Amino acid sequence: MSRLEHVPRRRRPRWWTAAAAGAVVIGAMLSVTYYASADEGPDALADAARIPNDQGPAPECLARPSTVDSPSPATVPDKCHANMGGPANTDFIDIRQVKPAGGNGVRTGRNASTGTFVSVCGTNKEGHHNSDNFIVAPGVTNGAHHVHDYVGNVTTDGNSTDASLAAGGTTCRFGDKSAYYWPVLRRTNRGAGPDADANGGGLDGNVGQLLEPVAVRLEFSGNSQSKVRAQPQFIRIITGDAKALTNGPANARAKWTCSGFENRTTTKYPVCPQGSQVQRVLEFPSCWDGQNTDSANHRSHIVFPNPNGKCPRRTSAVPRLTMTISYARQPAGTFALDSFPEQLHAPITDHGDFTNVMSQQLMNFVVGCINGGRRC
């Protein structure tokens, strides 16, 4: 029996009794109904399939273990791990110099799903860090060449599988065992940090004290034009481009801001005024092909809605994850993301990763909250 069923009755909010009573039945119905208010525009899935599968280390940077035929590991070029510098002074901007954004121009449709569900998972006070990425480099130690912060599933590393995640513990309420992770942010002017001699840290050019977030908000929301169906268990979803500095901005999704200035976003590191926090906002794709939990490049099974808010053809809307990660204010030029060495800690390389390990009961509840217009 899940922890969702063990929430003390006296502590349940008013909406809980009615919502929980109908969550399994209604959520199950919604999860098998095709809610695609789909656009008959370009084939977004086909376009996504053409994006290179390049979010892990370059092939020449993968150290392979010794074998009988190759008694010593292959030589890895110095460029794979060297400290190549960065970030540049031009990577920082005073948030007050960023122009406020206007509306997105998308009207909410009559069938919109306007509710939200927030998974409360903490801020990684447990210190769960590693430089692996089981989605883009499964089975590879140091497959990211930079360190990740993790919340949710406490077992996540490069060797994670569906089975190991399902058996793992979690830092999240309601027994949400999903894996949520993103590159760490470091204070770069206060010494080398505790991992100066470790993979992903100093050995990969990532130097400085790890900054712990002061808040992490993991919000699932709906679609402006349609209801959502359930995400399948174990779906892998990535957002952003860890190599956007060299790849260009086409697949970048970095969005930086400061608390109190959320209508001003930038792809640069924000310099915030006193009393304001640095914030990273990572929005994930939410139009699923209805069949696959992963794809060769980890992008072509789930894509972003079209500019008009509708999901592209051959896809339907599922709950959309947005991570908002907040930090204490940092002076200009003193903080940076971990990155692959050649990406020079550029802020445009910010990215996030997620694997859904919610129980079906919990996912049905999430869908019910979103489609019912509730805040859960």
Side-chain angles (χ1 to χ4, degrees), residues 42-68:
D43 191 335
L45 293 176
D47 290 344
R50 288 189 279 271
I51 300 172
N53 178 22
D54 65 352
Q55 295 300 283
E60 67 270 20
C61 296
L62 284 171
R64 295 172 175 81
S66 301
T67 65
V68 173

Side-chain angles (χ1 to χ4, degrees), residues 286-297:
S286 57
C287 296
W288 178 45
D289 69 3
Q291 300 179 35
N292 300 293
T293 57
D294 201 359
S295 50
N297 64 359

Side-chain angles (χ1 to χ4, degrees), residues 96-249:
R96 292 165 292 192
Q97 296 178 4
V98 177
K99 185 178 179 180
N104 61 14
V106 177
R107 290 187 177 183
T108 300
R110 288 184 298 176
N111 202 35
S113 42
T114 59
T116 57
F117 172 87
V118 176
S119 194
V120 179
C121 301
T123 60
N124 194 23
K125 289 185 181 297
E126 299 79 11
H128 184 179
H129 300 109
N130 59 54
S131 57
D132 303 343
N133 190 326
F134 76 93
I135 295 179
V136 303
V140 178
T141 299
N142 195 32
H145 291 193
H146 54 265
V147 175
H148 288 121
D149 259 324
Y150 292 88
V151 297
N153 203 289
V154 300
T155 67
T156 315
D157 62 18
N159 294 311
S160 290
T161 62
D162 292 355
S164 70
L165 292 169
T170 182
T171 67
C172 301
R173 68 172 180 167
F174 299 154
D176 175 11
K177 295 185 178 185
S178 300
Y180 303 87
Y181 57 107
W182 54 85
V184 298
L185 198 65
R186 293 181 190 258
R187 185 69 180 259
T188 55
N189 65 340
R190 291 182 176 171
D195 56 356
D197 298 318
N199 286 332
L203 295 184
D204 286 301
N206 295 302
V207 178
Q209 299 293 327
L210 303 183
L211 291 173
E212 182 183 310
V214 297
V216 175
R217 183 176 177 85
L218 306 171
E219 180 178 279
F220 292 86
S221 58
N223 181 277
S224 65
Q225 306 302 316
S226 74
K227 302 301 184 185
V228 298
R229 63 189 296 188
Q231 289 185 3
Q233 195 174 44
F234 304 120
I235 191 172
R236 272 83 162 143
I237 313 179
I238 67 173
T239 190
D241 184 354
K243 299 184 179 180
L245 184 67
T246 52
N247 285 345

Side-chain angles (χ1 to χ4, degrees), residues 251-276:
N251 297 305
R253 291 281 171 172
K255 185 183 290 187
W256 297 82
T257 187
C258 300
S259 59
F261 297 84
E262 289 87 350
N263 64 334
R264 305 173 189 234
T265 61
T266 176
T267 58
K268 296 179 181 289
Y269 293 121
V271 181
C272 303
Q274 291 288 346
S276 181

Side-chain angles (χ1 to χ4, degrees), residues 266-331:
T266 176
T267 58
K268 296 179 181 289
Y269 293 121
V271 181
C272 303
Q274 291 288 346
S276 181
Q277 297 173 344
V278 175
Q279 292 187 327
R280 305 158 65 178
V281 182
L282 296 169
E283 298 172 344
F284 284 70
S286 57
C287 296
W288 178 45
D289 69 3
Q291 300 179 35
N292 300 293
T293 57
D294 201 359
S295 50
N297 64 359
H298 317 292
R299 298 184 190 273
S300 59
H301 63 297
I302 188 164
V303 295
F304 287 91
N306 287 332
N308 62 8
K310 292 184 178 182
C311 278
R313 60 192 174 99
R314 298 197 293 131
T315 69
S316 55
V318 295
R320 179 184 64 188
L321 171 62
T322 300
M323 298 179 177
T324 303
I325 310 158
S326 303
Y327 302 84
R329 176 186 177 273
Q330 306 295 322

